[in-house]
Amino acid sequence: MADAETRREARLFSLARSVITGWALLGGVVTLAVVVVQTASVVTGIFGAPVPGDFELTELGIAVAVFAFLPYCQLTDANVTADIFTSGLGKRTQSALVLLSSVIALVFAILMAWRTWLGAENQFDYDYQTAILQIPIGYAFIAIVISLILVAVAAIITIVESYQGVVTRSQNVITDGP
C-alpha cells in the first residue's frame, strides 16, 4: 500500500515538475517575443515608424515572463540565498532551512495568488486596458495567478523533499555503533 502511494506521489511530482518546466520555457518564449518586438520597433523606428505600443507589450510580457520563472526557481532551489552562512551547516540543518523557506514560499504564493486574482477581477470589472493597443490588462494578471499557483505547487514539492532530508538519516554520517 505504501509503495503504491509513493509511486503515485512520484508520478504526481513528475507531472508537476514537467508543467513547471514547461511554464518556465513559455516564459522564455514570451521574453524572446518581447526582444523581437523591441528589435522590430528600433529597426522600424529608424525609418520613422516604430511598432505602436511596443512599451505596452514589453511591460505586459516581461511581467508575465518574470512570474513564469518563479515556480522553476522555487523547484530547483535557484532563488537567491546566503550560502556563506549555511555552507558549513550539516545536511539536516540545511534541509530544515529549506523546509522553513519552502513553507514561507507556500504561504506567500497562496496569499499573492489570492490577492492577484482579486486584482484581475478589478482589472476586468473596470475594463482597464493599455492606452495604445487596448489590450485588457487582466489577461496578464491571469497568467501571473497561474504562475503563483505553480509556485505553491513547487513549494509543496520542496517541503516534502526537504522534510525527507530532515527526518532521513544521511548516508554520509558516521555513527559510533551499529
Side-chain angles (χ1 to χ4, degrees), residues 84-149:
I84 191 167
F85 299 111
T86 60
S87 61
L89 300 175
K91 292 290 182 193
R92 277 186 156 165
T93 306
Q94 288 180 3
S95 291
L97 289 173
V98 170
L99 177 64
L100 176 63
S101 67
S102 296
V103 169
I104 292 168
L106 176 61
V107 170
F108 176 77
I110 291 169
L111 179 66
M112 288 296 297
W114 167 53
R115 297 306 300 173
T116 305
W117 179 256
L118 295 177
E121 287 179 338
N122 272 349
Q123 297 295 318
F124 286 115
D125 287 345
Y126 293 106
D127 196 28
Y128 286 128
Q129 299 176 353
T130 61
I132 295 171
L133 298 177
Q134 301 295 302
I135 299 170
I137 296 172
Y139 291 123
F141 276 65
I142 291 171
I144 290 169
V145 169
I146 292 169
S147 294
L148 290 167
I149 290 168

Side-chain angles (χ1 to χ4, degrees), residues 3 5-6 20 28 51 56 58 83 99 134 137 155 167 170:
D3 287 338
E5 188 174 316
T6 302
I20 289 168
V51 175
E56 295 173 347
T58 299
D83 292 341
L99 177 64
Q134 301 295 302
I137 296 172
V167 298
S170 174

